[in-house]
Amino acid sequence: MKLIEPILTNHDLTHANTLGLPCRAERFAAPAGMTVLRRLLQQACAQDWRLTLLGGGSNLILPTRLEGLVIQPALSHWWLERQGDNVRVHVGAGVEWHPLVLALAHRGLWGTENLALIPGRCGAAPIQNIGAYGVELCEVLEAVHVLFLDDGRLATLTPAECAFGYRDSIFKSELAGRVVITGLTLRLTRQARPRLDYGDLSARVGPRPSALDVAEAVCAIRREKLPDPVQLGNAGSFFKNPIVARDVADRLLARWPDMPHFTLDTGRVKLAAGWLIDRCGLKGWCDGHFGVHERQALVLVHFGGGDADELLAFAERVAQCVQSRFGVALELEPRRA
Ligand SMILES: Cc1cc2nc3c(=O)[nH]c(=O)nc-3n(C[C@H](O)[C@H](O)[C@H](O)COP(=O)(O)OP(=O)(O)OC[C@H]3O[C@@H](n4cnc5c(N)ncnc54)[C@H](O)[C@@H]3O)c2cc1C
């Protein structure tokens, strides 16, 4: 079969992942429309190419070589549908998340402002149900639009069908590797509904903040706490906050009464992975080309010159320290390609 335009070969993805891990894709394409996307998927299937989907590369650990075809959907349209005070936002998978949040906040639309400055594209946002400052994507999501890889079928999934959880969704389990997310429908409102109960957010804004005020306050706090991937390679939180049984939490609290913890509706208890790593004395620890960030222990950073294998070995050592000190297992948050 003749290669359809526009597939690039031996394409460098080092600058297409925020960790800055060196990676070359055997083949790469960034389709801007559904027709080209479908043709690429058909071709990958016909040629038996391994398929990897790429968004902004901010939650991915890339190997030095990716065989097959890497597709980075570039469906970058979005529009608003007004319904009184409510507004539906239809967004293509290739739209950058943070500029969208700012554009919506500028228009006085409430719902996504606490999720400002999360890197990446809209297509990946439902995969781990992005969340920050007390808000998760699933709270403003009306639908996820997908294309099934096996038969090319288009489908629209409701939030309930997406089985969202903490940094989790059906796209990590039953539908992992089975769909391309092509777009989202968000439901926002013009009615002010600030969510300021997380951290020191309320202290950062005035008494009647606009959606844009909240988004800007979130950005300011995040810039103080998190390294900018443009300056220092990272993938944000490298480990999920572990969720443990009540008796495990009680045992830990008896020994470390100041341990941050949050009891979930299920009775299980969410711990702060960053605190556990910090209490192992690892904040600021560096080895080889990687380190634990000096201000935020949950973030592993890449100083340049390392690769995915070295990063995973480094992360394993961090996780082992936490395991041996607290008896708690840490799980990686970024996805391995
Ligand atoms: C500095 C920093 C801060 C961060 N802060 C947060 C935070 O506060 N909260 C939070 O939840 N996350 C955070 N993240 C993680 C990350 O930004 C999000 O997970 C984001 O949604 C990833 O988007 P992406 O486009 O970069 O996805 P990628 O990293 O490119 O891909 C992630 C996964 O999605 C798959 N994928 C991508 N696009 C599609 C598609 N169209 N269809 C199907 N599968 C697809 C990929 O194959 C991969 O498995 C942070 C990351 C960084 C670097």
Side-chain angles (χ1 to χ4, degrees):
M1 187 188 289
K2 190 172 159 288
L3 276 185
I4 55 167
E5 172 283 317
I7 296 181
L8 306 175
T9 53
N10 196 28
H11 184 67
D12 188 3
L13 295 178
T14 309
H15 300 291
N17 73 102
T18 60
L19 273 160
L21 297 173
C23 175
R24 281 196 173 266
E26 186 182 9
R27 301 178 192 82
F28 171 86
M34 288 297 286
T35 309
V36 180
L37 173 62
R38 277 180 180 284
R39 285 168 58 200
L40 285 163
L41 294 174
Q42 280 162 5
Q43 187 168 16
C45 180
Q47 309 271 9
D48 208 15
W49 289 336
R50 178 181 188 265
L51 188 67
T52 303
L53 289 162
L54 177 68
S58 64
N59 207 29
L60 262 179
I61 302 171
L62 294 179
T64 49
R65 175 128 181 113
L66 267 175
E67 304 296 337
L69 175 64
V70 174
I71 294 184
Q72 185 179 43
L75 309 162
S76 49
H77 52 280
W78 67 275
W79 75 95
L80 303 176
E81 184 191 336
R82 292 193 168 77
Q83 297 174 318
D85 272 351
N86 291 328
V87 174
R88 279 206 181 104
V89 189
H90 302 274
V91 204
V95 173
E96 296 283 341
W97 176 258
H98 171 63
L100 175 74
V101 168
L102 287 188
L104 296 173
H106 261 291
R107 286 167 169 77
L109 296 175
W110 290 86
T112 49
E113 61 284 349
N114 290 38
L115 303 176
L117 212 59
I118 298 181
R121 297 181 173 197
C122 292
I127 291 181
Q128 71 157 4
N129 182 24
I130 55 169
Y133 291 88
V135 173
E136 288 183 327
L137 176 75
C138 61
E139 296 168 53
V140 292
L141 197 63
E142 191 168 285
V144 179
H145 309 285
V146 300
L147 174 62
F148 277 83
L149 298 177
D150 52 0
D151 57 5
R153 177 169 43 103
L154 292 171
T156 294
L157 305 182
T158 63
E161 288 169 325
C162 295
F164 288 119
Y166 164 64
R167 300 288 190 273
D168 203 13
S169 72
I170 196 167
F171 307 108
K172 284 186 167 185
S173 51
E174 214 178 300
L175 292 185
R178 290 185 53 205
V179 294
V180 181
I181 294 173
T182 56
L184 313 178
T185 305
L186 307 174
R187 192 173 182 81
L188 273 65
T189 176
R190 292 197 174 280
Q191 284 181 357
R193 50 162 219 191
R195 300 273 301 270
L196 306 174
D197 41 351
Y198 193 94
D200 59 348
L201 193 49
S202 58
R204 302 283 192 127
V205 292
R208 288 170 57 84
S210 66
L212 190 57
D213 293 337
V214 176
E216 285 174 347
V218 167
C219 291
I221 299 171
R222 291 179 66 102
R223 286 196 178 102
E224 286 164 21
K225 291 190 176 165
L226 291 170
D228 177 355
V230 174
Q231 316 283 341
L232 186 58
N234 75 88
S237 306
F238 205 81
F239 300 99
K240 290 187 192 177
N241 287 323
I243 295 173
V244 299
R246 179 81 249 175
D247 60 325
V248 174
D250 287 344
R251 177 176 57 75
L252 293 169
L253 283 165
R255 180 144 179 223
W256 290 281
D258 62 333
M259 180 183 74
H261 62 286
F262 178 76
T263 303
L264 304 172
D265 294 344
T266 56
R268 291 171 70 80
V269 182
K270 197 199 278 188
L271 309 180
W275 186 91
L276 299 172
I277 296 168
D278 191 5
R279 282 305 173 99
C280 289
L282 293 175
K283 198 187 257 181
W285 174 57
C286 305
D287 191 29
H289 304 98
F290 294 93
V292 177
H293 190 247
E294 58 195 10
R295 289 198 305 276
Q296 172 50 273
L298 195 49
V299 177
L300 301 191
V301 294
H302 178 206
F303 303 112
D307 62 18
D309 289 343
E310 188 189 337
L311 170 62
L312 290 168
F314 182 85
E316 178 59 25
R317 286 159 69 195
V318 172
Q320 271 170 12
C321 286
V322 170
Q323 177 73 53
S324 58
R325 178 136 205 220
F326 297 100
V328 173
L330 291 185
E331 198 185 323
L332 296 190
E333 188 176 301
R335 318 269 291 149
R336 295 175 66 172

